[in-house]
Amino acid sequence: MTSRLGLLVGGVAVVLALAPIPALVRAQGSTSALTGAVRSQAEGLMEGVVVIATRDGSAVMTSVTTNERGEYAFPRTHLEKGTYRIAIRAAGYVLPEGDRPVQVGNGAPARLDLSLQTATKDQLAHQLTTVEWWNSMPGTAAQKDLLVRTMVNCGFCHDMERVMRSRYTADQFLPVMGRMSTYAADNSSACGVGSARHCDTKTLGRVQVQSAAQVPTDERSKALAAYLASVNLSGGRTTWNFPLTPMPRPKGKATRAIVTVFPIPRQPSVIHDLTVDRQGQVWYGDSGWGYLGKLEPKTGKFREYETPQSWPDPRPGFKRIVGIQDVEADADGRIWAVTGFLGTKSGYFDPRTEKWTTFDMPAPVWAFLPAFHKGQSTTLWSTATTAPAPAPLTAFRLNAALGKVDVTTPVGEPGGRPFCYQVERDPHDNMICAGFYNSNIVVVDAKTGKSRAYPTPTPNAGPRRGRADDDGHFWFGEFLADKAAVFDIATGSIREFPFSAKYMSAYAAAPDHHGGGWASSTGSDRVVRIDRNGTTTEYLMPVYYDARKVVVDPSASRTTVWLPNKNLSQLIRIEPLD
Ligand code: HEC
């Protein structure tokens, strides 16, 4: 056991002065700070336009969405006095003169009506989400599946726009693809998304896994290269030879949420995961630069702590960064963290003493943490995926009270490629495994070590990440099936909830406190809510977002959902109004 205190104060603290939100009020009437109507010549009053307000001197973005009468309203609880820049998100439309300024005072609500103009095809190309590109592109289902249906696809580290704007021929694409495979999947976002950011050599040096890129020669890569060259701007094309078709804008309930985006003050940062403790404080891990961070949403203050010195990747010649991948708050308020993929360290940070306690894991472990249910604070499940074949996939339970692993058991995940993407547990500390490749959910009994597997109703659904509630319902994302799902441990049944569009790739899901759940979607910039009765609502985020974990605040009396936005180094908060 080793421990070391690292502290960063002052320099990174940013005060955003957001008012506390004791009782979230309906965003209308006299409680509003800013209202207006949004129209266009093409549609008249427009529903489902995301209106984004950013105060001068602040980087925090607050957004609301227009209702069926084309009206938007920012509640006073979310906009303090000041000068704001107003932007919009509505695929196919732009604000003719760019962002609009508006003064928000303490008295009567400010008013700003907006008239939108139809976007040019080039502007629309910049607005399309990755999923909208995938569904707009011509091509056979087999070609698109080749592009989309893999764990780390071309839309994983950056958006599709840079691929679609490229001029590479099929032959030229192969070395580019070879270069892409030298990057660490979860750190290369520091090299930017779209044309907004770029990679300097210093940053690039950190994100490269190995230095030498191999030009792929396999048939799949060749077929993918040929397909991409048929839809990008190669061969002298000045625009795309197919229509760009956005998904429908939000409607009805999907327009009723306030979304706040908090940029991480220290850049570059790579925020893979976050957790919310029982006081409503948001903790996040930086997998690129080795920090644990905390945001107090009530004050907007950030504070960061360095990871222990003992955590850099010791493997010679390996440039992969081992910062913090996943974080979880335990029942006693300690923040558990694991190092990046196949790291050998885990441990916890105690906010009271500001000290780390770290543990060496018996093998390189896959890096996603189980939840800590009521009363759970000393044990931690992980699985090792690198045991030499034919050794089975092994689960370890670290017991922090004993300072060692107290359970080692094979995971009986049936199928050719046993692999738990998410290791979760129920309130009795039985381990739950989301089997990505074999498409099943496996429960490992903590007492007997015996496994029982439950296949997903949709074959090859790719269960990815999830969370169990205190009653034994495990919510998870079916990445390869565009569905969220819930597994009932008592009955072994799995219920699935399809998303509205193909390729919306559910990454993670989590239960809310009302018998429903929330799920993140890779590439669509939408977050999906599933009500207790199974109805889904898809909220459009104000920004490009890279889907990771979705976390429901355990302390909030009204549902409040948090997401890390890895590729843009932001934390996103969603407050539904219904
Ligand atoms: C593991 C992360 C990752 C994945 C996966 C990835 N990229 Fe990239 N991509 C990057 C990074 C980092 C950059 C910026 C540095 C660079 O250009 O090498 C980049 C830049 C690009 C660029 C712009 C630079 C250029 O050379 O034109 C293109 C085009 C591109 N990627 C295409 C692709 C395609 C096609 C795929 C899927 C086969 C893909 N990427 C998958 C990380 C990734």
Side-chain angles (χ1 to χ4, degrees):
M1 238 202 260
T2 56
S3 84
R4 181 191 169 269
L5 165 69
L7 199 60
L8 247 194
V9 213
V12 291
V14 174
V15 181
L16 308 161
L18 284 176
I21 309 148
L24 196 61
V25 279
R26 282 180 70 110
Q28 61 185 26
S30 58
T31 58
S32 299
L34 169 65
T35 64
V38 179
R39 51 171 64 76
S40 64
Q41 208 147 54
E43 294 188 43
L45 289 163
M46 294 171 72
E47 183 176 19
V49 177
V50 180
V51 182
I52 307 152
T54 311
R55 189 169 55 78
D56 280 3
S58 168
V60 175
M61 288 172 252
T62 308
S63 79
V64 294
T65 304
T66 56
N67 64 18
E68 73 282 2
R69 296 183 303 280
E71 287 160 9
Y72 72 88
F74 286 93
R76 219 166 255 300
T77 46
H78 285 62
L79 290 196
E80 60 173 301
K81 186 169 174 261
T83 307
Y84 285 80
R85 276 175 298 115
I86 304 298
I88 60 114
R89 178 173 203 181
Y93 293 93
V94 292
L95 271 170
E97 277 119 43
D99 297 357
R100 294 275 304 274
V102 64
Q103 287 290 336
V104 172
N106 287 330
R111 176 139 193 119
L112 180 69
D113 293 334
L114 302 167
S115 291
L116 307 188
Q117 221 169 47
T118 305
T120 62
K121 190 167 183 181
D122 197 64
Q123 285 169 328
L124 176 58
H126 185 56
Q127 296 170 337
L128 283 197
T129 65
T130 291
V131 167
E132 288 165 341
W133 275 113
W134 288 337
N135 285 319
S136 296
M137 286 155 53
T140 63
Q143 281 173 315
K144 291 196 188 186
D145 284 359
L146 196 60
L147 172 62
V148 181
R149 298 299 195 201
T150 60
M151 197 186 280
V152 178
N153 60 32
C154 301
F156 194 85
C157 303
H158 47 68
D159 56 32
M160 240 354 238
E161 186 185 0
R162 68 171 72 172
V163 182
M164 301 308 292
R165 284 194 192 273
S166 74
R167 298 180 184 279
Y168 299 121
T169 61
D171 285 348
Q172 291 166 338
F173 252 124
L174 289 166
V176 174
M177 288 161 60
R179 196 169 83 241
M180 297 305 133
S181 63
T182 67
Y183 299 129
D186 284 323
N187 300 105
S188 58
S189 57
C191 289
V193 168
S195 49
R197 304 201 290 175
H198 72 281
C199 205
D200 57 44
T201 42
K202 205 168 139 225
T203 310
L204 199 60
R206 281 184 71 89
V207 304
Q208 244 156 357
V209 178
Q210 290 119 9
S211 42
Q214 306 269 321
V215 178
T217 53
D218 61 291
E219 291 311 313
R220 286 175 64 90
S221 299
K222 285 183 191 161
L224 179 57
Y227 176 50
L228 290 174
S230 74
V231 289
N232 71 353
L233 294 181
S234 61
R237 287 192 283 271
T238 53
T239 186
W240 298 273
N241 54 7
F242 52 90
L244 308 183
T245 315
M247 286 168 67
R249 287 200 306 271
K251 260 200 191 124
K253 195 169 154 189
T255 66
R256 298 188 37 73
I258 304 168
V259 179
T260 313
V261 179
F262 300 87
I264 302 297
R266 187 181 41 75
Q267 296 289 343
S269 288
V270 182
I271 311 306
H272 196 286
D273 278 312
L274 60 75
T275 186
V276 184
D277 68 19
R278 284 160 173 80
Q279 277 77 50
Q281 301 187 108
V282 181
W283 294 86
Y284 57 87
D286 184 333
S287 59
W289 272 261
Y291 290 94
L292 174 70
K294 179 178 78 171
L295 165 67
E296 270 178 50
K298 287 193 179 81
T299 59
K301 271 200 187 124
F302 278 91
R303 178 138 181 215
E304 294 194 329
Y305 308 89
E306 272 179 81
T307 48
Q309 285 290 297
S310 55
W311 278 13
D313 194 322
R315 286 170 286 183
F318 234 78
K319 285 194 189 158
R320 178 173 290 180
I321 312 150
V322 185
I324 294 184
Q325 194 84 2
D326 196 7
V327 289
E328 272 298 321
D330 73 16
D332 295 325
R334 298 180 301 190
I335 309 304
W336 287 76
V338 271
T339 47
F341 290 115
L342 306 178
T344 52
K345 306 281 185 185
S346 75
Y348 58 78
F349 177 78
D350 191 330
R352 288 162 294 241
T353 58
E354 299 191 341
K355 284 205 167 73
W356 286 95
T357 303
T358 71
F359 304 92
D360 286 315
M361 300 305 277
V365 292
W366 185 246
F368 298 119
L369 291 168
F372 291 87
H373 299 285
K374 220 171 168 213
Q376 289 175 339
S377 55
T378 49
T379 60
L380 192 74
W381 283 102
S382 345
T383 52
T385 55
T386 51
L393 179 65
T394 306
F396 304 102
R397 192 177 73 177
L398 171 72
N399 189 324
L402 304 175
K404 61 172 192 187
V405 167
D406 67 348
V407 179
T408 303
T409 185
V411 183
E413 217 235 293
R417 252 178 116 180
F419 173 58
C420 301
Y421 200 100
Q422 175 78 59
V423 170
E424 177 54 328
R425 63 173 142 202
D426 72 1
H428 309 292
D429 214 10
N430 298 310
M431 196 190 97
I432 304 168
C433 154
F436 184 89
Y437 293 113
N438 300 323
S439 209
N440 51 38
I441 302 300
V442 183
V443 180
V444 180
D445 189 300
K447 288 197 192 76
T448 64
K450 287 215 173 85
S451 302
R452 184 150 176 206
Y454 305 85
T456 55
T458 303
N460 302 318
R464 206 156 183 170
R465 293 182 67 186
R467 266 291 155 266
D469 66 14
D470 291 338
D471 304 318
H473 303 102
F474 174 55
W475 286 82
F476 61 99
E478 294 186 340
F479 189 74
L480 305 177
D482 318 317
K483 291 169 185 168
V486 60
F487 167 64
D488 183 340
I489 298 165
T491 63
S493 67
I494 297 176
R495 191 170 167 206
E496 297 176 323
F497 308 96
F499 292 177
S500 70
K502 202 172 175 185
Y503 299 131
M504 275 180 75
S505 315
Y507 175 84
D512 65 15
H513 308 309
H514 310 284
W518 288 75
S520 54
S521 146
T522 304
S524 75
D525 296 357
R526 280 152 176 86
V527 176
V528 184
R529 172 184 179 176
I530 303 106
D531 282 341
R532 180 212 299 266
N533 63 13
T535 323
T536 56
T537 307
E538 297 180 354
Y539 300 96
L540 177 60
M541 298 297 100
V543 288
Y544 161 94
Y545 98 91
D546 162 63
R548 304 286 112 196
K549 199 169 172 177
V550 37
V551 178
V552 180
D553 183 344
S555 76
S557 51
R558 298 198 54 139
T559 300
T560 305
V561 178
W562 286 88
L563 315 157
N565 192 7
K566 175 174 73 70
N567 288 359
L568 291 184
S569 319
Q570 298 164 334
L571 308 179
I572 302 179
R573 179 181 64 192
I574 307 165
E575 296 166 291
L577 296 170
D578 303 296

